[in-house]
Amino acid sequence: MSVEMVSSLLTPGERVHGKVPVEHLDYDYIQNCSDLRYLEKIVEVLRSGEEGVYPHLTEFCEKRIEKLNPKSRALRKERPPATAADFSFDEWSQISEELKSWETEVKRTEAELREVSPLYDVEDLPPVRGSNSLISQKQNSVPSRTETKRKSALPRDYREWDKFDIEKECSKTDGSNKGKDFPVIINQCLPKINRKLDTAGLTEKERAVLASREREKGNEAFKANDYDEAVAYYTRSVSAMPTAAAYNNRAQAEIKLQLWHGALGDCERALELEPGNVKALLRRATVQKQLGNLKVAADDLGNVLREEPENASAKKMIQEVEKKLRECAQESQSKGRKILIEEVEDEELRAKPGLCVSGESAAAPAERGDMGNAQKKTAGRAEGAPQGEADTHGTRRRGKRGSLDQCRTQEAHEKKLPNGAQASGSGTADQTGRHNSSADNTAASGTGSRLDAPCGALPPPLARLKNEGNQLFKNGQFGDALEKYSQAIAGCIDAGIDSPEDLSILYSNRAACYLKDGNSADCIQDCTRALELQPFTLKPLLRRAMAYESLERYHKAYVDYKTVLQIDVGVQAAHDSIHRITKLLIEQDGPDWREKLPDIPLVPLSAQQHRHEEPRSAELAEARAARAAEGAAKRAEARFSALKEEGNNFVKKGQFQKALEKYSECLALKPGECAIYTNRALCYLKLERFAEARQDCDSALQFEPSNKKAYYRRAMAYKGLENYLACSSDLQEVLRLDPNVQEAEQELQEVTVLLRQTLVASSPDKPRKNITIRETNDSDDEADPSNSKTRQASADDSAERASLPLRPTNAYEFGQVLNAAHSRDDVNACAELLRRVKPETLPLFLSNKLDGETFHFITRALDGHLLQEDPGLVYQHLCHLPAADRFSVVLMLLGQNERQQITHLFDHLSAVESEEFTGNDVRDLAAKYI
Amino acid sequence: MKMSTPSEKPQIISHIHKSLNYTVFDSKWIPCSAKFVCMGNFARGTGVMQIYEVERGEVHLVKEIEKAKPIKCGTFGATSLQQRHIATGDFDGNLHIWNLEVPDVPVYSVKAHKEIVNCIDGVGGLGIGDGAPEIVTGSRDGTVKVWDPRQKDLPVANMEPVEGEARRDCWTVAFGHAFNDQDRCVCAGYDNGDIKLFDLRNMSLRWEKNIKNGVCCVEFDRKDISMNKLVATSLEGNFHVFDMRTQHPTKGFASVSEKAHKSTVWQVRHLPQNRDVFMTTGGAGNLHLWKYEYPAQRSRKDAEDVDMGVAGTLNLLQNITLSTQPIASLDWSPDKQGLCVCSAFDQAVRVLIVTKLNRV
């Protein structure tokens, strides 16, 4: 029986009442008790000293509690504030130093602050909150808005209509809904966060402060796993002041959101600001790894490890990347897609066209397949069947050249052919060249008996060394491989073997080992030797380029890569690197970086021609024929795009009239092109031909109902035409399609102000504002296919949205719209409003705001506009109107004209025949009014 | 990383201790400076504001300003960094805005309430919070009013009990949710334990909750983001942290509560540089430093498939006892992480340094 059970049996009452019996103040009992609450009580008793002071027992009990729950409240002790004694001397002096330096620094900033004239930019601030509104402290009750000043109320901001929560407003307005619960509200602020900060007029320092504060917010959001929000705040930080830290952090958040391309861009920007930033490199490597650019990732990781050799995550990642790279290497090898430089070549001499000079054209296909295997796998496939034959051809030819060893190699291959792992297929790749070597090696690793395979002109011991080296290299034992190669080279030189090809390969292979070991200098040396022996060989060149690049000798690396490309344009790694180095060089040397380059050697034709030759296959011929057939269509297309291009160029130069003509020609050729319409609309806008601009936008929207450019430009056209209402609804549409369009948001604000001015002050002579129009850019002339889907989806509900602003949901909004219409004397708008309002809710909406003028206004709308269309609705409205507050008072105070109007209304109503009401009904109703 | 190793824990150092000859109610750092303002009540019944500057381990008095009425509370939240005007509430129900350089005449003055202004908060200034600068005051008269310094005499919003309803003493107010030009919320705490959240955009009461004991202090973790967390402290030593991201139709916001001090929790202040770290001050002169840990998922579906929030946990980083009297105010320096000033009813003001906050 456990102690606890005993204790609960013995003293149940006491435990309930919270008293601790003395016998429980005992080491054994405490040791065995696992009831945390009870132990806490014991410790309380012990501390209080009621039963005597037992410091050891107290401590023992505390330890026991800590063991059970280290966070127990009973363990919290009152502590005095920390003093210097709690810190090491260094820590303490650091703390006081920091504080002192902060004091002086903040004094300086404060002095600076004083010098800045207090530019208090009132313009920037939003207006004072509309009215002294009373907010009831009772939930779900009808908010009684007693406005202290009853001036003409401003209409609700049009943007606010858009973000209107109907449910919520309903539950506030409708008295019947009192018991209704609030809907779930998730405070997703994302679409509403302004992505850009207005930093106009701020000093550098203030911007920096702002940027770091926004970054902090981003960090906090990141920690709370709100990655979207974090990105938003980092974006704000960057807009205040671009910093590497903000870009870096945004990259990390984007990685979390798997927005790889955004993250890549951010890493690059961070690196632009702070070259060699380890975090940025690491993150770029992560992204590149995800995007499948393993090589680039490995490069970045290499750079990281050079900076911080102990960086654990980099180490881990580079292992993964290299593993993947190896897998890829094997894969691409078998497919013959890419030259991977890590791979060690066996029979490199085969790749040297200069060696096969015999000129038998019969052997050409096989040769070519061999040489061009980097990009010509289709050719290889097509020739699958006759492969063996072609091979033997080649062998025979080589045999003629008198190289017995080579012949033997070839024979070995042929022997292997029937049972070879790769050769058995459709002959994906030819059996010569590199594939050969890989086949060789796989076989070698399979049997382990091929180490003695003869290599080139090397005597067997040296060949063995080389093969061993290859084997080791494949296994990743670069150091050992290096040794083997070195032995082979030494042996070669000692023996005085005059075989530059073989020696070159050995050097090249050793260079690969050096490169792997990060010994770039020796790698370069070996490559150079290899190239001296065999000029314009691909692999040593590539390796040397990589070594140069890693030593940051970009000029030389650039030259080598360029040379590589002269030999074989299909080497993707070289393309990538050239691209990367060009950027770096531009950064380093400025725009005339090319002048500082050493000469790029011209590769002799003999070395490159094979690379460029196209395989003549039936497929290609067919393709050509098809292409010819397409020619005519293409030409029209070309003419079209040429015209478009010209148009775009004119726009860029600001010659809108000319651009306009070009675009019109474009449309004559191809009338269904949305982008042209939007571009022409831009020209019209620039030329202030707003009506035409609008038409073009309309057509564009026909083709592409959710083209935000078209909406934006139509909004601008409307603005030019001073149709602000339409303008604002178009702008809202733009923002709905893409909430990040800053221009639209700014325009919307501007237009809303204009709209309000026209509505309230009704001053038609307002000076026109400048219209800012974005420039065209060719890139988005074509609709982005990835976006089009979402656009399509969102387009569907756009129709309903547009009508929202006129559909009020409570008395306040109804009043706003009605007032707006009234101040413009826009009977039509009033009729529209009444059409949208349910007659039953009319009294509720009118609440106590009904007065003579409003009444007259409503009757005019009913009579003048609604009666013809929907007499039933008019009747319904008239039925419900008497229920409104103040109706009788208003009726009493009506003037002669108003009464006449009502009489007319009822006359007209009774003249209408309808199923919804009879003449008698109308007469009864009229009695209430007249 | 273990938090339990003592050297890694943040330490609270009492850097400077300064005794005063008046009762101090509130203390606030002047933004972008090493100076702070103490506000209080002389024994002779007048109000006082003193400006102190921190310099090499000491504070020295820069300026003393005496006013007719005792000053209860103050804020720099609605001023620009260039102006740095302080808004104060006094025992007589006045809201004043002072230029501390020229403190003779207030820049703005309004008889805001019928009785003492218990609490004040500002937003839209100092680059914190988008939108217009606004000040909110709460008073014993039961009303909470929002003021725009650009509008004379009248508040821009007034949160008042409906006639016939009991008027509760409003003890604390706080702005939050000011992450764009339109959205903004005010949270108010009352002596009966009511917490009310007013939505200034929709001019409505958005949420209310009773925590049973008088609400001494409420604060959002940040004013200028979509409301994320709210801490409310209470009279009997409990405090609650609400996750404000997900509002359930019936259950409201999820919360975690913690009994921190054995006495009233007078104040809670979030670290300006890290919204998840905050300090609570107790009636027995103690300070507790906390960190909020988010749960793995901040919201989940309830039985009816409605989103509801999930509260996190609280981690006590450090606690110290500073005084025998309640610590009535605490203010983190917005400029220097870990620096804070606090005032206690033992007529003393202290400058504290909290170390290692960047490592929590």
Side-chain angles (χ1 to χ4, degrees), chain A residues 71 73 76-84 86-87 91-92 95-96 98-100 102-103 106-107 109-110 113-114 116-120 122 124-141 143 145 148-149 156-157 159-160 163-164 168-169 172 181-190 192-194 197 202 206 209-210 213-214 216-217 220-226 229 233 236 749, chain B residues 9 11-15 32-35 53-56 80-84 101 126-128 130-134 142 148 150-151 154-162 165 177 179-180 182-184 190 196 198-208 222 224-227 244-247 249-250 258-259 272-275 290 294 296 298 306-307 315-316 318-322 333 335-336 339 353 355-356:
Chain A
K71 283 187 178 177
R73 276 174 205 160
R76 284 180 199 162
K77 281 187 188 163
E78 292 197 351
R79 252 174 292 208
T83 57
D86 295 321
F87 296 91
E91 278 178 315
W92 184 254
I95 289 166
S96 33
E98 249 176 45
L99 195 67
K100 256 179 223 161
W102 172 74
E103 277 166 23
V106 81
K107 252 176 217 167
T109 23
E110 196 182 6
L113 202 63
R114 264 171 229 262
V116 179
S117 64
L119 270 171
Y120 196 53
V122 185
D124 272 1
L125 294 172
V128 178
R129 218 169 269 285
S131 53
N132 174 14
S133 322
L134 195 74
I135 304 176
S136 155
Q137 292 193 351
K138 265 252 155 78
Q139 203 161 7
N140 289 357
S141 62
R145 286 164 207 275
T148 40
K149 287 182 208 157
R156 191 180 263 258
D157 189 328
R159 269 172 304 160
E160 281 182 51
K163 294 163 186 159
F164 211 64
K168 204 158 137 198
E169 294 291 332
K172 265 192 288 171
D181 293 324
F182 276 54
V184 191
I185 304 167
I186 296 169
N187 286 314
Q188 261 299 349
C189 52
L190 204 56
K192 290 188 269 173
I193 297 178
N194 216 338
L197 289 178
L202 291 183
E206 284 170 304
V209 169
L210 208 58
R213 190 181 292 152
E214 296 299 325
E216 266 167 21
K217 283 200 241 176
E220 289 168 353
F222 185 89
K223 276 184 223 154
N225 299 346
D226 281 333
E229 197 180 323
Y233 281 116
R236 279 162 68 96
Q749 275 168 11
Chain B
K9 258 169 103 173
Q11 300 288 328
I12 304 171
I13 305 164
S14 177
H15 181 54
C32 204
S33 77
K35 291 179 278 192
E53 178 150 31
V54 179
E55 211 165 25
R56 271 163 272 136
S80 72
L81 207 55
Q82 280 88 14
Q83 292 183 317
R84 294 186 290 172
E101 308 277 320
L126 309 173
I128 298 178
D130 290 3
E134 284 179 334
D148 189 316
R150 295 170 296 171
Q151 176 169 301
L154 284 170
V156 291
N158 184 359
M159 286 141 266
E160 206 169 352
V162 190
E165 209 184 325
H177 204 44
F179 65 99
N180 63 19
Q182 294 97 38
D183 285 288
R184 191 167 286 189
Y190 298 85
K196 289 173 196 272
F198 303 101
D199 190 330
L200 290 183
R201 177 180 179 161
N202 296 323
M203 287 295 178
S204 63
L205 177 66
R206 170 143 174 205
W207 169 71
E208 63 183 328
R222 262 186 192 276
D224 53 351
I225 54 171
S226 169
M227 47 183 171
M244 303 299 277
R245 278 289 156 92
T246 314
Q247 184 175 5
T250 52
E258 173 77 46
K259 188 166 174 76
Q273 292 85 4
N274 183 350
R275 68 181 187 191
W290 302 91
Y294 293 97
R298 289 185 70 180
V306 183
D307 278 303
N315 201 352
L316 180 67
Q318 188 56 275
N319 66 312
I320 61 157
T321 307
L322 206 58
S333 165
D335 305 301
K336 169 80 183 152
L339 191 65
I353 302 171
T355 64
K356 299 196 178 79

Side-chain angles (χ1 to χ4, degrees), chain A residues 1-21:
Chain A
M1 196 182 264
S2 80
V3 181
E4 235 165 298
M5 285 169 75
V6 174
S7 76
S8 55
L9 282 176
L10 285 174
T11 56
E14 275 172 321
R15 282 195 64 171
V16 168
H17 291 103
K19 264 204 106 188
V20 180

Side-chain angles (χ1 to χ4, degrees), chain A residues 214-231 233-234 248-257 283, chain B residues 245 275-276 294 298:
Chain A
E214 296 299 325
R215 200 180 66 239
E216 266 167 21
K217 283 200 241 176
N219 290 349
E220 289 168 353
F222 185 89
K223 276 184 223 154
N225 299 346
D226 281 333
Y227 302 119
D228 284 309
E229 197 180 323
V231 168
Y233 281 116
Y234 291 137
N248 241 336
N249 292 359
R250 189 166 73 180
Q252 184 63 44
E254 280 163 338
I255 287 172
K256 290 275 185 191
L257 291 168
R283 280 167 199 168
Chain B
R245 278 289 156 92
R275 68 181 187 191
D276 301 323
Y294 293 97
R298 289 185 70 180

Side-chain angles (χ1 to χ4, degrees), chain A residues 149-399:
Chain A
K149 287 182 208 157
R150 208 181 293 152
K151 288 187 269 180
S152 64
L154 289 175
R156 191 180 263 258
D157 189 328
Y158 274 80
R159 269 172 304 160
E160 281 182 51
W161 284 106
D162 220 9
K163 294 163 186 159
F164 211 64
D165 189 346
I166 302 162
E167 294 273 325
K168 204 158 137 198
E169 294 291 332
C170 282
S171 67
K172 265 192 288 171
T173 332
D174 301 348
S176 56
N177 275 356
K178 260 193 178 177
K180 205 186 152 213
D181 293 324
F182 276 54
V184 191
I185 304 167
I186 296 169
N187 286 314
Q188 261 299 349
C189 52
L190 204 56
K192 290 188 269 173
I193 297 178
N194 216 338
R195 299 280 174 137
K196 218 172 147 195
L197 289 178
D198 185 16
T199 50
L202 291 183
T203 63
E204 185 93 340
K205 202 146 211 165
E206 284 170 304
R207 289 220 312 275
V209 169
L210 208 58
S212 79
R213 190 181 292 152
E214 296 299 325
R215 200 180 66 239
E216 266 167 21
K217 283 200 241 176
N219 290 349
E220 289 168 353
F222 185 89
K223 276 184 223 154
N225 299 346
D226 281 333
Y227 302 119
D228 284 309
E229 197 180 323
V231 168
Y233 281 116
Y234 291 137
T235 310
R236 279 162 68 96
S237 173
V238 164
S239 83
M241 186 186 256
T243 56
Y247 277 125
N248 241 336
N249 292 359
R250 189 166 73 180
Q252 184 63 44
E254 280 163 338
I255 287 172
K256 290 275 185 191
L257 291 168
Q258 310 199 335
L259 302 170
W260 306 116
H261 290 281
L264 187 63
D266 281 340
C267 290
E268 253 144 38
R269 262 163 272 170
L271 285 169
E272 264 166 43
L273 291 166
E274 266 181 39
N277 184 312
V278 173
K279 274 189 192 170
L281 283 172
L282 203 57
R283 280 167 199 168
R284 189 167 69 180
T286 315
V287 173
Q288 296 285 24
K289 189 179 141 212
Q290 287 294 340
L291 293 173
N293 303 334
L294 298 172
K295 285 271 341 136
V296 193
D299 287 352
D300 278 342
L301 289 170
N303 288 337
V304 171
L305 287 172
R306 209 165 305 138
E307 289 277 322
E308 288 180 12
E310 293 309 306
N311 193 317
S313 49
K315 275 184 179 170
K316 196 175 154 224
M317 212 188 318
I318 200 155
Q319 277 174 3
E320 286 170 29
V321 168
E322 268 167 9
K323 192 173 155 229
K324 274 199 186 171
L325 261 177
R326 244 168 279 141
E327 282 164 17
C328 271
Q330 254 145 31
E331 203 172 305
S332 62
Q333 213 173 13
S334 58
K335 285 182 188 162
R337 192 187 294 146
K338 232 193 236 174
I339 292 182
L340 284 157
I341 312 123
E342 279 79 7
E343 177 197 332
V344 178
E345 66 270 68
D346 249 10
E347 316 281 320
E348 202 174 35
L349 64 160
R350 301 262 172 103
K352 269 168 262 152
L355 291 178
C356 8
V357 279
S358 36
E360 277 126 318
S361 59
E367 279 295 340
R368 222 182 294 120
D370 161 23
M371 304 310 170
N373 66 350
Q375 69 266 64
K376 281 155 201 155
K377 69 171 177 194
T378 42
R381 273 213 183 105
E383 292 158 357
Q387 197 65 62
E389 217 179 318
D391 241 1
T392 34
H393 242 308
T395 321
R396 245 178 263 141
R397 188 163 43 83
R398 283 203 179 99

Side-chain angles (χ1 to χ4, degrees), chain A residues 407-633:
Chain A
C407 192
R408 260 193 288 167
T409 325
Q410 207 55 46
E411 273 165 12
H413 280 301
E414 275 167 306
K415 259 184 248 152
K416 221 161 55 168
L417 232 161
N419 59 347
Q422 291 170 322
S424 58
S426 64
T428 6
D430 23 331
Q431 298 307 307
T432 49
R434 263 174 296 279
H435 295 285
N436 228 332
S437 74
S438 75
D440 236 345
N441 275 327
T442 29
S445 58
T447 59
S449 64
R450 292 200 56 87
L451 287 175
D452 288 322
C455 298
L458 293 178
L462 295 181
R464 189 188 166 86
L465 276 174
K466 182 183 164 190
N467 285 338
E468 276 170 358
N470 291 353
Q471 188 78 47
L472 288 165
F473 187 93
K474 289 249 149 108
N475 294 341
Q477 295 159 281
F478 306 122
D480 299 339
L482 194 123
E483 229 166 80
K484 296 282 176 203
Y485 289 136
S486 299
Q487 285 171 16
I489 290 169
C492 229
I493 293 167
D494 288 348
I497 295 166
D498 183 29
S499 167
E501 305 94 343
D502 291 310
L503 205 52
S504 162
I505 291 168
L506 282 173
Y507 276 125
S508 169
N509 286 1
R510 193 169 70 172
C513 296
Y514 280 128
L515 191 65
K516 272 290 178 189
D517 274 358
N519 187 347
S520 303
D522 283 341
C523 171
I524 291 170
Q525 215 174 14
D526 271 358
C527 290
T528 314
R529 277 191 207 130
L531 287 167
E532 276 164 7
L533 292 164
Q534 290 287 321
F536 303 116
T537 358
L538 199 65
K539 291 195 176 184
L541 266 173
L542 256 178
R543 285 179 189 147
R544 192 170 66 176
M546 289 172 84
Y548 277 133
E549 196 187 347
S550 64
L551 287 175
E552 302 191 358
R553 286 153 76 178
Y554 296 121
H555 292 114
K556 292 195 167 174
Y558 184 86
V559 171
D560 275 351
Y561 279 128
K562 273 288 182 196
T563 322
V564 166
L565 286 182
Q566 283 186 59
I567 297 169
D568 185 347
V569 284
V571 184
Q572 194 54 44
H575 278 296
D576 291 348
S577 304
I578 290 243
H579 187 66
R580 197 166 53 233
I581 291 175
T582 309
K583 265 198 226 161
L584 285 163
L585 283 175
I586 291 172
E587 210 168 89
Q588 197 177 312
D589 298 340
D592 30 317
W593 58 279
R594 271 178 205 281
E595 288 165 24
K596 298 191 181 168
L597 285 176
D599 287 336
I600 299 170
L602 201 65
V603 177
L605 213 60
S606 60
Q608 46 174 295
Q609 62 187 15
H610 289 274
R611 311 286 173 171
H612 289 292
E613 232 173 300
E614 296 251 327
R616 273 172 229 105
S617 73
E619 264 175 86
L620 197 76
E622 267 174 48
R624 281 223 180 110
R627 213 180 294 156
E630 277 171 26

Side-chain angles (χ1 to χ4, degrees), chain A residues 907-929:
Chain A
D907 284 351
H908 294 151
L909 195 61
S910 55
V912 179
E913 290 206 2
S914 166
E915 292 170 3
E916 291 167 53
F917 53 88
T918 64
N920 278 339
D921 290 338
V922 177
R923 233 163 293 136
D924 291 343
L925 190 59
K928 288 188 190 167
Y929 283 81

